[in-house]
Amino acid sequence: MRLSELADYSLSQAVVFRDSLNPRLFEDFKLLPEVRNQLLKIAQDFQDFLGIDNLEVSDITISGSNAAYTYTPHSDIDLHLLVDIAELDHSEVYRELFDAKKFQYNNMHDITIAGYDVELYVQDSRQEHHSLGIYSVLHDTWVSEPKQIKPDVDDLSVRSKVQKLSDKIVRSLETTDRAQAEKVWQSIKDMRKTGLGSGGEFSTENLAFKVLRTQGLLKDLLAHIHKLRDQELSLPEQVS
């Protein structure tokens, strides 16, 4: 969100409350068969990309706004492969590998279902996952059914949080200090994780994250970090 756009800020840009699940994905409270089959294909492709033989995936799920009553045109389809990471040898190494592979796969591909971007992620099956709804694509049933409850949202707090984070991101976009830009990105991720743990999907922190994502600032920040990393790894052509 550019600073000049804050005057036009509205939480409705990022969060809405609907009477039904996304009809492009669900019918009669079940995933459309063609959607489910395609998501399973995508999950298998991602698993192959991970390059780990005999990786035990206990479930494949979708969660977030597109598994609830809060989807918008900007909502991703969060497709998760559940893995018991603690059971893997050198589990911390695998955590880092999964994170790296996630970013690499998502950056390499532009996969959509019914016009919605599909984002892949390896989720630790032992770690609690906060979401308004969780649907098992593998077993074709709900793990956690979404509810049509409209909670009270503190719009002023979200606005204030967005303002502060926007300031940080804009300054990061103007710097050539990659470490500083990465510190801002990590702080935003940590903030969202804390908010989800304490207040759930409608916490001030998570809603601020959604607004920043909707406005494209998070994408800009990540692109800037990748650009700075590429510059550090490049050797300029010598002029003779």
Side-chain angles (χ1 to χ4, degrees), residues 138-240:
L138 185 62
H139 302 295
D140 199 21
T141 189
W142 288 99
V143 176
S144 177
E145 294 187 4
K147 295 178 174 57
Q148 290 178 293
I149 300 175
K150 184 176 180 178
D152 293 329
V153 174
D154 189 346
D155 188 84
L156 290 178
S157 294
V158 177
R159 180 191 293 268
S160 176
K161 183 72 69 174
V162 169
Q163 172 74 71
K164 292 177 182 178
L165 295 176
S166 295
D167 289 342
K168 289 184 177 182
I169 294 174
V170 169
R171 287 197 297 270
S172 295
L173 294 175
E174 295 172 348
T175 185
T176 57
D177 186 343
R178 178 170 64 87
Q180 178 59 34
E182 288 181 336
K183 182 178 179 181
V184 170
W185 171 236
Q186 186 61 50
S187 69
I188 292 173
K189 291 197 299 179
D190 291 342
M191 172 209 70
R192 186 193 193 194
K193 183 177 180 180
T194 298
L196 285 170
S198 61
E201 286 279 333
F202 294 101
S203 64
T204 294
E205 294 81 3
N206 189 51
L207 293 179
F209 182 93
K210 285 178 175 288
V211 172
L212 293 169
R213 183 176 62 187
T214 298
Q215 293 298 322
L217 269 183
L218 297 183
K219 183 177 181 180
D220 290 346
L221 177 59
L222 281 174
H224 184 61
I225 291 172
H226 293 154
K227 178 181 177 182
L228 293 178
R229 183 182 292 113
D230 289 347
Q231 290 175 349
E232 290 177 5
L233 296 173
S234 298
L235 180 65
E237 183 178 358
Q238 299 296 320
V239 178
S240 57

Side-chain angles (χ1 to χ4, degrees), residues 65-102:
S65 298
N66 260 319
Y69 297 96
T70 54
Y71 62 92
T72 75
H74 305 285
S75 297
D76 296 330
I77 297 175
D78 298 321
L79 186 60
H80 291 194
L81 275 63
L82 272 64
V83 175
D84 189 349
I85 298 179
E87 287 295 313
L88 300 173
D89 293 335
H90 311 293
S91 59
E92 287 305 316
V93 175
Y94 276 104
R95 291 179 197 274
E96 294 182 9
L97 173 65
F98 290 148
D99 282 343
K101 286 284 190 176
K102 172 192 68 174

Side-chain angles (χ1 to χ4, degrees), residues 8 14 16-17 24 53-54 72 115 130 192 195 198 207-208 219 236:
D8 299 324
V16 297
F17 302 92
R24 296 184 182 181
D53 294 334
N54 302 318
T72 75
H130 303 279
R192 186 193 193 194
S198 61
L207 293 179
K219 183 177 181 180

